[in-house]
Amino acid sequence: MQNQVLILDFGSQYTQLIARRVRELNIYSEIKPYNNPPKDLSAYQAVILSGSPYSVRAEDAPKPDLSEIKGKKPLLGICYGAQFLANSGGGNVAPSATREYGRAHLDNFKNGEVFLKDVSVNTQVWMSHSDTIKALPENGVLLASTEDVENAAYRIENEDTYGIQFHPEVYHTKEGSQILRNFLVDIAGLQQDWTPDAFVETTVAELKEKIGNEKVILGLSGGVDSSVAAMLLHKAIGPQLHCIFVNNGLLRKNEFHNVLDQYQGMGLNVKGVDASARFLGALRGESEPEKKRKIIGRVFIEVFDDESHQVENAQWLAQGTIYPDRIESVSASGGPSATIKSHHNVGGLPDYMKLKVVEPLHLLFKDEVRRVGKTMGMPEFILGRHPFPGPGLGIRILGDITPEKVSILQEVDAIFIEGLKKYGLYDQVWQAGAMLLPVNSVGVMGDERTYEKCVALRAVESTDGMTADWVNLPYEFLQKVSNTIINRVKGVNRVVYDISSKPPATIEWE
């Protein structure tokens, strides 16, 4: 693709949001680490420098070589990126008297600047920095200020190089998308043609070329990601795709048989494999979250290795890996951002498994996956399904896993999810589930004292899972669900509701 944007990552927590905002403009963007940029820059029409937790004044601060970019391609520096351009270009960056964090408002506009076209005077922006640009770089032209930040936006004379101290990618910057559009469309000349239809057409063609006449095994999970990946491959290679739906013993109540029937009704070539005893046996006695994830991932691969021998001459293993999986598992494209947790479908295969990996969705965020599925005419009951973690209930049962605990949590989860659907709340929630806590609490049922399990309910709203906020479910609904769980699920006498957001808390408890 020739119509795309390169985002150089300096380790900012907001880097992935930059990519999302650019893509929302129907312009393809990809993130690369500042210390390992693409050797061939010919495919990129514009470059964006992200923010960073570093100070440009520090000895170990990121200092990229921009000799093949600055002055040659449209370039936008955001926060640290703007400070780096100023500091390396003869300007002055110094500590702020106070940390500049939170809402601010742009004023002192430079009239007639395309970069600020259709942006309102006094528009709200979001600041997050402890250094500030005291003096602009050589040939710098001031574009806008705020009450506390004189050099909030600037450009370099005779170049398509721009710097902004604020973050246009976060929702708190009210007209951030317009600013990005001005830069990418009006200044860089990018076309807004990266749509779900275009993605399907391009991806199907690439899959046909990559796979040829070879056979592919794909692990279906019942979720949106693997389902959309399956349909893309089905469009590309038809009967060469062999789908396998594994029951790892950690699925929701009745999910194995219900979802298997749904897939077969969609025309997919799918085989159901009940490996629940194998998974639960491997997990016996293990309580450490990362080790549980690793075990589930290992057994998952072992099952697929066994099944691959049942498909003659299988050459490929397809996975529904999406962009946030990679971001949270291996840092931002190998850059300086922090790793949060491992995902069992990220990181390659063991040497003994002689299959190549194909990941049709590895550059998409969750909402983009849904739009691609809708473009292909997939049913809403698949696309509207809440995300469900690959390790399933294995990371919603805190501590060790037993068949009894799985059965308890399946019943609790079923009551919660069906309740959301019954009360018309399911589609207002991005993801919901129940957690079985490793504590017992005292209760009273009838005239008897009980000492039973506590479960936590969690429901969040989000766009892509990178950030999330808890959903303010009606008290009446929570009361009804709590009573139903305690009355119907033997072994549970207490229900709590999780009201923490991501960050600092992750969506899953493990």
Side-chain angles (χ1 to χ4, degrees), residues 290-348:
E290 272 298 285
K291 289 183 179 178
K292 288 196 292 184
R293 286 178 176 269
K294 300 290 187 184
I295 290 169
I296 294 168
R298 172 177 59 78
V299 178
F300 181 80
I301 289 174
E302 289 172 355
V303 170
F304 267 82
D305 187 47
D306 292 343
E307 292 302 322
S308 70
H309 291 98
Q310 308 301 315
V311 180
E312 187 177 357
N313 295 323
Q315 297 291 317
W316 296 85
L317 175 66
Q319 298 187 143
T321 311
I322 63 173
Y323 210 17
D325 293 339
R326 290 183 166 274
I327 292 166
E328 292 193 343
S329 296
V330 296
S331 177
S333 302
S337 299
T339 298
I340 299 170
K341 59 188 175 181
S342 64
H343 289 254
H344 75 275
N345 60 341
V346 175

Side-chain angles (χ1 to χ4, degrees), residues 82-210:
Q83 293 176 358
F84 175 78
L85 291 173
N87 194 61
S88 61
N92 179 33
V93 176
S96 302
T98 58
R99 188 177 182 213
E100 294 164 344
Y101 183 87
R103 294 171 178 83
H105 296 86
L106 290 185
D107 58 20
N108 191 27
F109 271 54
K110 183 78 172 181
N111 292 331
E113 288 289 341
V114 174
F115 184 71
L116 296 174
K117 185 185 73 172
D118 297 328
V119 175
S120 307
V121 174
N122 208 38
T123 188
Q124 178 179 293
V125 297
W126 185 261
M127 297 286 188
S128 180
H129 58 99
S130 54
D131 288 343
T132 194
I133 301 170
K134 294 292 188 181
L136 292 177
E138 185 178 351
N139 297 323
V141 177
L142 179 65
L143 298 183
S145 306
T146 70
E147 182 178 356
D148 296 320
V149 179
E150 179 182 1
N151 298 307
Y154 68 89
R155 66 174 174 84
I156 304 299
E157 195 75 60
N158 300 319
E159 292 182 16
D160 287 329
T161 298
Y162 294 79
I164 49 178
Q165 185 61 79
F166 56 90
H167 289 270
E169 68 273 23
V170 302
Y171 286 113
H172 302 86
T173 298
K174 298 298 186 182
E175 296 176 88
S177 291
Q178 180 63 41
I179 292 171
L180 288 172
R181 185 202 174 280
N182 291 344
F183 172 71
L184 296 171
V185 177
D186 294 337
I187 294 170
L190 285 143
Q191 301 298 310
Q192 295 175 277
D193 57 5
W194 195 70
T195 62
D197 286 322
F199 177 84
V200 171
E201 181 180 350
T202 301
T203 301
V204 167
E206 290 175 350
L207 290 171
K208 286 180 179 179
E209 181 179 356
K210 177 185 288 188

